[in-house]
Amino acid sequence: MPARPDHRERTLVAPAICAGVGVHTGQRVRLSIRPASTGTGIVFVRSDVTDRDNRIPVAGDAVVDARLNTMIENAAGVQLSTIEHLMAAFCALGVSNAVVEVDGPELPILDGSALPFVQLLDRAGFRRQEAPVRYIQILEPIHVTDGDKHAALLPCDRYEMRFEIDFDNAVVGKQVIDFVVDEQTFRDEIMAARTFGFAHEVEALRQAGLARGGSLENAVVIDGDDILNPGGLRMEREFVRHKALDAIGDLYVLGAPLLGRYEGYKAGHAVNNRLVRALLDAPHAWREVVLEPQLARVG
């Protein structure tokens, strides 16, 4: 079954505030997540932009760059990048409505996982709203392929995910995870998995204007057959768990949780967004549904 049996929208009780560095820009930014009324959805606001519309509502077609992160843009050309970890936390914790103010072009990376965002949201608290959650029910399979990478959405009566990676590297290698996407599983198995990269790629990324804020404090860095982070990995198969975390966030740009099964092989943000757009382009393959709360049995 989906994560919460009440099937009602959810927002925060109070604002949640933090600050940190953007992993690609290296710029320090302040983030404030605020409660929002029913029907708002997830809306980002660039508080440092004052000369034009600075609100960026999240939507599948708002994603304009998905090379190494998920970047969204509004009609006025205002952009915001690296939203995927916070979006994954929103999805797993059932946050339907929130306004996220940020005073820079990129969300803070924090420790490279969704754990700090979950802790931030937990401290703010959650408020149940009366409107029913809209689920996106997958009716027919949707597939996308990019070389040897592929992803699919398949019909299923709950939200499931299977992810497989296969790196020519002894540290990472081939890893698979298959799980039900719900709040408890996310907290127990997914949220603490950190983003990762290879030491030999860092200089090229920085020359391209990326990874300027990356460090061992916010990413697992692999150098040949070694992990450079002093503490090593946090968990078994941390690499594939993080790819699943990214996928949960990438798919939540649809604005609603899924009733369907996602299967990804070597998929990244770009393939995930192609899958989102393919779904939106196939209205026969999905529908919006609301579910009734589960009633306790009597007798």
Side-chain angles (χ1 to χ4, degrees), residues 135-152:
Y135 292 89
I136 293 177
Q137 182 181 30
I138 306 302
L139 303 176
E140 299 178 16
I142 296 289
H143 299 267
V144 296
T145 300
D146 181 8
D148 65 343
K149 306 171 185 177
H150 58 83

Side-chain angles (χ1 to χ4, degrees), residues 35-77:
S37 59
T38 292
T40 301
I42 307 298
V43 178
F44 288 93
V45 179
R46 282 280 304 275
S47 60
D48 59 315
V49 175
T50 58
D51 62 340
R52 51 194 156 145
D53 181 14
N54 63 359
R55 293 173 60 86
I56 316 173
V58 171
D61 58 2
V63 177
V64 293
D65 193 340
R67 287 172 295 174
L68 291 174
N69 67 84
T70 297
M71 176 190 289
I72 55 175
E73 181 180 69
N74 68 8

